[in-house]
Amino acid sequence: MKAALRDAGLSALVALGLFGAMVGLRTDVGIGTSKLTINPQPLAVAIIVAVVFLGRLGLVLWAQHKAAAAPVAKKPSHMPALGRYVAPAMLLIAATLPLYSSRYIIDVGVLVMTYVMLGWGLNIVVGLAGLLDLGYVAFYAVGAYSYTLLATTFGLSFWICLPIAGILAAVWGMILGFPVLRLRGDYLAIVTLAFGEIIRLVLINWRDFSGGSAGIASIPKITFFGLVFADRPGGFDDFFGFEYASIHGKIFLYFVILALALLTNWASLRLRRLPIGRAWEALREDEIACRSLGINTTNTKLTAFALGAFFGGLAGSFFAVKQGFVSPESFTFNESATILAIVVLGGMGSQIGVAFAAVFLIGGFELLRELGWLKTFMATTFGMTDFDPAQYRGLLFGLAMVVMMVLRPRGFVSTRSPSIFLKERKAVSGDLVKEGHG
Amino acid sequence: MAYALQQLINGITLGMIYGLIAVGYTMVYGIIGMINFAHGDVFMIGAFLSLISFILLGIAGITYVPLALFLTLLFAAAISALYGWAIERIAYRPLRGSFRLAPLISAIGMSIALQNFAQVSQGARDKNLIELIPGGFDIFQQDGFVVQLTWMQIVITIVTLTLLGGFTWLVTKTPLGRAMRACEQDMKMTALLGIDVNRTISLTFVIGASLAAVAGMLFLLYYGSINFYIGFNAGVKAFTAAVLGGVGSLPGAVIGGLAIGLIEAFWSGYASVEYKDVAAFSVLIIVLIFMPTGLLGRADVEKV
């Protein structure tokens, strides 16, 4: 107990050092001058230090308690059941969502589905092939700008542009991938990061091509076999004899992104069973072993990279048609990091885990924004009048990635279902799968 | 000619700052073989701490510039060192021996968290500081163009060279430096010989973080304006410098930093300012593809 108190006290002291200046001494522009002044926040520091002290104390005591108790044999995981029952249930909820939801929920649903699709697309690269791609948003941008430029310059419809955008993104994936995929894992991550930034900077500065940082507005809306969603003769509602409602367009968009996401899911599930998918997973586990077994690692990586880019391009194209406006602001590194956080927290390789992570991380924060009592609580307790949960999103994502890596590096849904098996399929716990160095 | 000389001076100053950050990358990579993605954000935290310290000193009435610089340097370096230690302890140490991508993902998470932490705690706006070291002197004049060397640039150069000199002495001559170099070669063997490996790695992070904090202070003084996002660009450029010089090599990091600073200055001066970051990132890609060992690095042998 005494040792635990000492440990917690030390942690609190470190926390005071870390946060005392950065949190406690907020620099603000003074009233009536342009000079900066210090705006002290002693309460915030006190709360953080207290939380660190109590948290550390609890952690140490719990660890002592656990060490004293007799070791218990680990129960086998029930995770495989999750896939069998939860996935169809989730699909059912997703498919029937527009029937009983408000306009706002459908909007959130479209947003969440976009991230589910991006997560599944990136999952092919990161989760299956084990290539860390920090510039995934570049392909999202290629898809969005492909549709925008093709539609505004040549007047092509969304349904023609969608596959073109995907293919263009895949081509960019190959152009980037061909030279860099020979690099080691961490160097590859940095190169993809640099590539993502280059694409964004070019979009900002090449004004004749992309409209610069002002972006491109008035992108043509989505159509249903040529029928526009508008209140006029020849529109969707007029043709089918419905009474016009602007929500019909939203519902259609929702089903489009749901279909695209399911396409991504279906493709990656099928690909996992093909030789190429097995090669991806083998590559993730041990690159040198792969090479000595005669697998062409460059081509294997390139297909994963191009396919991931393809789905990113499709999602980007959908993003452009949904927003009706694109600008480089939407394709920052933060976006890549968000998608990566979804894949990492979903368990890198688990389809249902990624879907869960997207629903919680994106949908959860959207709903948190709407909670009025949280705002009043923060305003009355901490005096934060301008509290917005979205501000804390990045902070939480970052910390969640660290905690995830420390506690469950293989993800929440960490059982692996082997693609190849003898006689019967046995689930392998992620803890047992040790990875080689590649 | 005069213009080129001016760009040379600017480029060297910028390169000094990148070099200071790059040393932190190269040391950590040398010892535990991971890219400390959060290093650029420690630099940003260092810049914010310097800003806070300068304002506090201004309120306290300490206006003698050398003293204020010295006190701020100590303050920012000390607190940033604590950040470096805490980051290693929380996010990297538990992952030693985990799978290949785990430390990198953890580092990216830490970087995102630090960036947003600064945004939440200090606000998203640009913070401006008045010029503390104004003036300079003209070196020569040609066709009406005056080549100027500011006092600020001289201070940056002197501080950087002093710190790097001290650091080189630390690595080559002291027991700690010997332990660090031993860890770099073979961590298990070093541990068997009775050296506290964890302590050595922690100290590496502490030293790297304090150098980055000094770079942050110099950046704040040189540009007079910082925000929570500066760590990203500076971090990527300093990493480029580390790779260009050869990861794991200290003189390489400084040479790489100077090279990146010069490329950026001359590109802005002669090609286009808008594409200066594109130039730096392209250099990174080209170097990694064609010379992954850099200028002074050793070839990396892959072992099973």
Side-chain angles (χ1 to χ4, degrees):
Chain A
M1 187 65 199
K2 203 176 157 196
L5 273 175
R6 213 180 121 228
D7 194 332
L10 275 176
S11 306
L13 214 62
V14 170
L16 183 67
L18 289 178
F19 303 114
M22 277 303 281
V23 177
L25 304 170
R26 190 187 164 101
T27 51
D28 274 324
V29 178
I31 303 155
T33 66
S34 60
K35 273 175 80 180
L36 288 168
T37 53
I38 297 282
N39 183 2
Q41 315 266 346
L43 185 65
V45 176
I47 291 171
I48 292 175
V49 170
V51 165
V52 169
F53 179 79
L54 294 175
R56 180 75 195 171
L57 190 65
L59 205 68
V60 172
L61 288 179
W62 183 69
Q64 281 175 356
H65 173 76
K66 213 177 95 179
V72 188
K74 244 188 182 174
K75 272 190 197 161
S77 160
H78 294 294
M79 281 303 188
L82 191 77
R84 207 174 306 144
Y85 302 113
V86 176
M90 275 181 86
L91 187 62
L92 193 72
I93 294 173
T96 55
L97 184 80
L99 291 179
Y100 46 77
S101 303
S102 65
R103 188 187 187 85
Y104 170 70
I105 296 289
I106 294 177
D107 271 339
V108 174
V110 171
L111 187 73
V112 169
M113 272 300 159
T114 314
Y115 279 97
V116 169
M117 174 168 181
L118 285 168
W120 278 338
L122 185 63
N123 203 12
I124 298 178
V125 186
V126 178
L128 294 186
L131 307 165
L132 192 55
D133 185 353
L134 296 180
Y136 192 62
V137 80
F139 305 120
Y140 189 47
V142 167
Y145 273 88
S146 301
Y147 168 62
T148 306
L149 292 172
L150 287 172
T152 51
T153 327
F154 302 109
L156 295 176
S157 100
F158 173 71
W159 296 105
I160 297 173
C161 296
L162 184 68
I164 301 179
I167 290 166
L168 279 175
V171 168
W172 272 104
M174 284 203 254
I175 291 173
L176 170 73
F178 202 70
V180 305
L181 284 174
R182 282 171 302 161
L183 295 174
R184 290 210 326 261
D186 39 3
Y187 278 8
L188 177 78
I190 295 286
V191 168
T192 51
L193 170 83
F195 175 72
E197 280 300 295
I198 288 176
I199 291 255
R200 191 176 66 86
L201 290 167
V202 167
L203 285 175
I204 289 178
N205 291 313
W206 193 4
R207 290 187 195 85
D208 301 336
F209 175 73
S210 65
S213 45
I216 302 174
S218 63
I219 300 168
K221 293 273 178 228
I222 200 161
T223 56
F224 180 78
F225 294 103
L227 301 171
V228 289
F229 289 89
D231 188 11
R232 62 175 149 117
F236 174 82
D237 298 282
D238 182 55
F239 185 84
F240 287 100
F242 297 144
E243 197 169 320
Y244 174 74
S246 59
I247 199 165
H248 289 167
K250 294 257 180 231
I251 293 175
F252 182 58
L253 274 178
Y254 176 79
F255 280 117
V256 168
I257 188 64
L258 182 64
L260 284 173
L262 289 177
L263 175 77
T264 314
N265 184 29
W266 178 78
S268 36
L269 284 179
R270 298 302 300 167
L271 280 164
R272 273 182 83 166
R273 304 197 186 288
L274 289 179
I276 185 75
R278 289 176 184 168
W280 287 341
E281 287 186 274
L283 193 70
R284 178 189 66 200
E285 301 302 334
D286 197 330
E287 187 173 340
I288 296 175
C290 256
R291 228 183 292 156
S292 34
L293 287 171
I295 293 172
N296 183 338
T297 49
T298 311
N299 282 358
T300 311
K301 285 178 181 177
L302 206 57
T303 44
F305 216 64
L307 266 167
F310 176 77
F311 290 117
L314 295 189
S317 185
F318 174 81
F319 173 78
V321 82
K322 181 195 87 176
Q323 296 295 89
F325 168 73
V326 288
S327 82
E329 275 300 293
S330 313
F331 308 107
T332 55
F333 172 66
N334 266 337
E335 205 66 18
S336 284
T338 306
I339 307 167
L340 184 68
I342 289 171
V343 174
V344 168
L345 298 188
M348 294 203 286
S350 156
Q351 298 291 99
I352 186 136
V354 169
F356 263 121
V359 170
F360 281 121
L361 293 182
I362 306 296
F365 263 96
E366 280 301 316
L367 297 179
L368 219 57
R369 256 184 184 169
E370 295 302 303
L371 290 180
W373 62 265
L374 193 68
K375 261 183 199 162
T376 9
F377 173 75
M378 294 306 279
T380 50
T381 321
F382 300 111
M384 288 186 192
T385 43
D386 53 347
F387 177 74
D388 178 8
Q391 280 183 327
Y392 295 84
R393 191 160 94 171
L395 186 61
L396 201 81
F397 276 19
L399 289 178
M401 278 167 87
V402 174
V403 171
M404 190 74 190
M405 282 299 114
V406 172
L407 297 181
R408 312 268 331 235
R410 294 304 213 136
F412 282 122
V413 187
S414 66
T415 37
R416 289 280 178 282
S417 174
S419 314
I420 319 171
F421 50 91
L422 190 68
K423 284 179 194 158
E424 65 173 323
R425 185 189 295 265
K426 282 184 202 151
V428 184
S429 164
D431 307 335
L432 299 176
V433 184
K434 194 161 181 302
E435 223 163 340
H437 302 272
Chain B
M1 176 58 209
Y3 187 60
L5 189 67
Q6 183 69 64
Q7 291 303 333
L8 185 73
I9 293 171
N10 295 348
I12 287 176
T13 318
L14 200 56
M16 291 283 175
I17 297 179
Y18 290 150
L20 267 184
I21 312 174
V23 167
Y25 275 113
T26 219
M27 278 199 313
V28 167
Y29 199 96
I31 288 195
I32 52 175
M34 69 165 281
I35 299 173
N36 181 11
F37 207 82
H39 192 62
D41 298 284
V42 172
F43 155 82
M44 178 269 299
I45 297 272
F48 268 102
L49 289 168
S50 313
L51 180 72
I52 292 168
S53 162
F54 279 129
I55 298 174
L56 280 181
L57 290 172
I59 292 171
I62 298 170
T63 47
Y64 179 57
V65 172
L67 181 65
L69 277 185
F70 183 68
L71 289 177
T72 300
L73 195 143
L74 284 186
F75 174 75
I79 305 274
S80 298
L82 196 60
Y83 269 91
W85 179 82
I87 290 169
E88 196 270 336
R89 190 72 191 75
I90 294 168
Y92 304 152
R93 190 180 293 180
L95 294 177
R96 238 168 266 156
S98 185
F99 75 111
R100 172 169 66 87
L101 289 178
L104 187 59
I105 293 173
S106 181
I108 292 164
M110 208 62 203
S111 160
I112 299 168
L114 281 178
Q115 218 177 75
N116 284 281
F117 163 66
Q119 188 187 1
V120 169
S121 62
Q122 293 288 330
R125 292 222 204 118
D126 283 7
K127 309 274 178 186
N128 300 309
L129 187 72
I130 47 157
E131 208 175 354
L132 285 182
I133 312 173
F137 56 88
D138 304 344
I139 301 178
F140 74 86
Q141 203 167 352
Q142 189 186 38
D143 308 330
F145 187 88
V146 185
V147 179
Q148 208 188 31
L149 183 65
T150 61
W151 289 113
M152 190 60 242
Q153 287 169 326
I154 294 171
V155 168
I156 288 177
T157 314
I158 290 174
V159 170
T160 309
L161 290 180
T162 315
L163 281 177
L164 288 178
F167 182 69
T168 313
W169 173 79
L170 182 94
V171 170
T172 49
K173 294 282 186 314
T174 63
L176 172 66
R178 208 174 303 128
M180 278 160 73
R181 281 178 291 142
C183 281
E184 192 181 334
Q185 284 185 6
D186 191 333
M187 213 182 280
K188 228 174 243 170
M189 190 64 215
T190 313
L192 284 175
L193 291 173
I195 285 170
D196 191 342
V197 172
N198 277 336
R199 185 173 155 269
T200 312
I201 293 175
S202 278
L203 281 172
T204 311
F205 272 86
V206 162
I207 295 166
S210 27
L211 289 181
V214 176
M217 183 189 90
L218 297 176
F219 183 94
L220 170 70
L221 289 171
Y222 193 46
Y223 288 100
S225 170
I226 55 169
N227 60 35
F228 69 96
Y229 203 64
I230 56 167
F232 181 78
N233 262 341
V236 175
K237 282 176 194 163
F239 177 75
T240 312
V243 175
L244 182 62
V247 168
S249 150
L250 285 181
V254 181
I255 292 170
L258 287 176
I260 293 293
L262 288 172
I263 288 170
E264 200 178 315
F266 277 95
W267 187 277
S268 319
Y270 289 97
S272 88
V273 183
E274 287 156 348
Y275 284 100
K276 74 179 161 85
D277 289 346
V278 175
F281 293 142
S282 306
V283 168
L284 172 65
I285 295 185
I286 292 165
V287 168
L288 278 180
I289 292 173
F290 294 107
M291 308 196 285
T293 52
L295 293 170
L296 303 179
R298 292 185 303 266
D300 194 24
V301 184
E302 246 178 285
K303 278 179 273 186
V304 180

